[in-house]
Amino acid sequence: MYSQVIDPLNKMPVNPKNNMPAKNQQQDLSTERVVSNIPKGGTENEQTWVYPSPQMFWNALVRKDKVEGAKEEDMDVVVSVHNNMNERTWNEVMKWEELKSNGAYLGGPPKLLRFEGKPYDLSIKARLKMFFGHPAPFDRHDWWVDQGGRINRYIIDYYHDESTSHQD
């Protein structure tokens, strides 16, 4: 897997060979991918980003040595939550883009140019919140949004909200 060509826009393999079962995997996972509503920057046509399949997501967990506590049978739900969270994040980014441009998108509407997960890097805001007793974020994404040639970087911290958790 590590010898594959990596797409610099999302740090994932270009050729989805990572849609094959991982070594020691116990069950088959879906290889179906969902097309997002997030416009993809750097493309000539109206492409949108495509989310990883449950199999690709599992393989990423294996590759990053993050399978502890994860279950193969949960990947469909995990990927659904992941996709929903990214769609909601894009909607929040669009609110900021609207504010910055006063709704006048010169050069076309904003598009997500690239992104990078940085789960081990704390943003300045996360460090400040932790200093005042808040928990650390469970993930961080940096998103670069192209708005007509002007690139805006968004640092997004993701937190677990215990008040919305349900115990079975």
Side-chain angles (χ1 to χ4, degrees), residues 66-137:
K66 290 187 162 202
V67 293
E68 185 178 337
K71 297 178 186 170
E72 294 170 24
E73 61 266 19
D74 294 338
M75 285 303 103
D76 285 342
V77 172
V78 169
V79 168
S80 179
V81 169
H82 168 269
N83 298 354
N84 181 276
M85 186 169 57
N86 280 306
E87 293 290 331
R88 291 176 63 192
T89 300
W90 179 252
N91 290 337
E92 292 302 312
V93 165
M94 290 301 295
K95 289 176 186 176
W96 283 102
E97 287 292 315
E98 178 85 16
L99 283 171
K100 286 182 177 184
S101 66
N102 291 324
Y105 297 128
L106 304 175
K111 295 181 179 186
L112 180 58
L113 187 59
R114 67 184 180 98
F115 58 91
E116 184 175 354
K118 295 186 170 189
Y120 303 110
D121 295 347
L122 293 173
S123 69
I124 293 170
K125 183 177 180 181
R127 288 177 199 266
L128 186 61
K129 287 179 78 169
M130 289 171 62
F131 179 78
F132 287 105
H134 293 272

Side-chain angles (χ1 to χ4, degrees), residues 4-164:
Q4 294 183 34
V5 176
I6 302 295
D7 182 344
L9 299 178
N10 63 3
K11 308 291 190 219
M12 294 290 292
V14 171
N15 185 349
K17 290 179 188 174
N18 59 340
N19 228 353
M20 301 299 292
K23 183 179 179 185
N24 299 325
Q25 186 174 318
Q26 301 297 309
Q27 72 179 65
D28 289 337
L29 297 174
S30 172
T31 59
E32 295 296 314
R33 298 180 72 188
V34 173
V35 175
S36 79
N37 292 308
I38 302 171
K40 188 174 186 177
T43 60
E44 295 297 319
N45 53 19
E46 296 297 316
Q47 285 184 316
T48 59
W49 287 93
V50 180
Y51 290 121
S53 69
Q55 181 65 64
M56 293 169 82
F57 202 95
W58 179 258
N59 289 345
L61 292 176
V62 169
R63 186 177 72 249
K64 296 172 184 177
D65 197 25
K66 290 187 162 202
V67 293
E68 185 178 337
K71 297 178 186 170
E72 294 170 24
E73 61 266 19
D74 294 338
M75 285 303 103
D76 285 342
V77 172
V78 169
V79 168
S80 179
V81 169
H82 168 269
N83 298 354
N84 181 276
M85 186 169 57
N86 280 306
E87 293 290 331
R88 291 176 63 192
T89 300
W90 179 252
N91 290 337
E92 292 302 312
V93 165
M94 290 301 295
K95 289 176 186 176
W96 283 102
E97 287 292 315
E98 178 85 16
L99 283 171
K100 286 182 177 184
S101 66
N102 291 324
Y105 297 128
L106 304 175
K111 295 181 179 186
L112 180 58
L113 187 59
R114 67 184 180 98
F115 58 91
E116 184 175 354
K118 295 186 170 189
Y120 303 110
D121 295 347
L122 293 173
S123 69
I124 293 170
K125 183 177 180 181
R127 288 177 199 266
L128 186 61
K129 287 179 78 169
M130 289 171 62
F131 179 78
F132 287 105
H134 293 272
F138 68 84
D139 201 3
R140 170 184 161 177
H141 289 179
D142 288 18
W143 287 16
W144 287 264
V145 175
D146 181 356
Q147 203 289 293
R150 185 185 76 224
I151 309 300
N152 296 315
R153 178 179 175 200
Y154 291 87
I155 299 173
I156 303 154
D157 293 319
Y158 292 98
Y159 294 88
H160 176 70
D161 183 356
E162 197 65 44
S163 69
T164 62

